[in-house]
Amino acid sequence: MLIIAGLGNPGSKYAGNRHNIGFMAVDAIQQRQGFSSWSKKFKAEIAEGEIAGERVLLIKPQTFMNLSGEAVGEAMRFYKLAPKDIVVIYDELDLVAGKARIKIGGGHGGHNGIKSIDAHCGKEYRRLRLGIGHPGVKDLVHAHVLGDFAKADQAWVSALLDTIADNAGMLVKGEDSQLMNKIALATGGKPDAEEPQAPKKQVGQSHIHKARNAAQPKKLPTTGPMADMLKKMFGSKGD
């Protein structure tokens, strides 16, 4: 069994916040993958279903972000699961908007929801971080995180959430790199910038000609052993 927990704050006041993109992601999975309706358990809203042949519990903690670990930890212990059986989806300030990264373990990066889950569940769970971008100034972070996505964000937000929901099987099966590729393509990600073209090779100049150009001094000796050697190597001027 796998728990997929999306992080956010409960209530309509926060529903459109950047901080709630974890809630949005599990909502998308619940709708797209034919899960049960949301019900209340473990201080959370939960929905049950199956993805890629595996039983999955979706969970949205209703404890507010700072106490997210209480709900996820309670569900983990109830089902006798380990941290490796948990995937947490949440917002990441330090990722460009629309980008995604996934890894096992790591630091909390100042995210209070992750701090709480670390405390209640341990750290070795999978973390799917969804970039919401940084406002650029520390003083604006709070308003940015708890602000709603702008209209200009809707295209990439929809593409991101739809891709996660459509490819939830990859998340369940641990096909992380494939999922990251799907997300990158869906949200306008591009391959690495084309390498600059290599300078064109000079045509019609053999290694001997290059050696001649490099080796010939401005004034060549006309007599003596050196002159004889050079004539044998390069010929005379009139050759």
Side-chain angles (χ1 to χ4, degrees):
M1 182 180 178
L2 188 72
I3 292 175
I4 301 178
L7 302 191
N9 287 309
S12 58
K13 175 182 177 181
Y14 303 101
N17 286 183
R18 294 178 180 88
H19 214 25
N20 271 41
I21 198 168
F23 272 15
M24 297 174 196
V26 292
D27 278 335
I29 294 171
Q30 183 260 349
Q31 293 163 13
R32 196 66 54 90
Q33 297 291 335
F35 273 59
S36 68
S37 299
W38 292 104
S39 60
K40 292 187 178 180
K41 194 174 183 178
F42 310 124
K43 300 178 184 176
E45 288 188 353
I46 65 169
E48 297 178 86
E50 188 176 293
I51 301 174
E54 180 147 3
R55 186 181 175 199
V56 174
L57 180 77
L58 301 177
I59 182 167
K60 295 189 294 183
Q62 300 294 293
T63 53
F64 286 92
M65 185 69 81
N66 293 5
L67 300 175
S68 297
E70 292 183 4
V72 179
E74 190 175 330
M76 183 184 79
R77 289 185 291 276
F78 180 86
Y79 290 107
K80 298 180 172 62
L81 301 176
K84 67 179 179 61
D85 303 311
I86 299 172
V87 178
V88 181
I89 308 176
Y90 61 101
D91 58 299
E92 175 58 78
L93 263 175
D94 293 327
L95 274 181
V96 174
K99 297 289 184 184
R101 294 288 184 272
I102 190 165
K103 66 176 181 178
I104 297 173
H108 54 70
H111 195 291
N112 289 327
I114 296 301
K115 283 183 187 178
S116 179
I117 293 176
D118 285 354
H120 287 269
C121 303
K123 296 183 178 181
E124 296 305 304
Y125 54 89
R126 285 164 69 213
R127 304 156 190 239
L128 175 53
R129 299 176 291 146
L130 306 180
I132 60 169
H134 195 288
V137 180
K138 187 176 180 180
D139 291 345
L140 299 178
V141 165
H142 184 77
H144 178 75
V145 168
L146 293 180
D148 287 357
F149 284 108
K151 286 184 179 179
D153 296 323
Q154 294 309 313
W156 70 258
V157 171
S158 295
L160 175 64
L161 299 178
D162 287 347
T163 303
I164 292 170
D166 288 341
N167 298 282
M170 291 180 176
L171 190 61
V172 170
K173 291 185 287 186
E175 296 173 349
D176 295 343
S177 60
Q178 293 94 318
L179 179 59
M180 294 301 98
N181 287 338
K182 291 274 189 183
I183 290 172
L185 290 170
T187 55
K190 298 177 182 178
D192 292 338
E194 291 183 5
E195 294 181 4
Q197 289 185 350
K200 292 182 180 179
K201 293 180 180 179
Q202 291 182 332
V203 180
Q205 192 175 29
S206 69
H207 294 298
I208 294 175
H209 280 96
K210 289 177 184 175
R212 179 182 294 178
N213 292 337
Q216 278 185 324
K218 288 182 180 179
K219 291 183 180 180
L220 297 177
T222 56
T223 59
M226 180 63 75
D228 293 338
M229 185 183 73
L230 290 172
K231 283 179 183 178
K232 286 180 183 179
M233 289 178 64
F234 304 114
S236 65
K237 261 189 173 181
D239 289 346

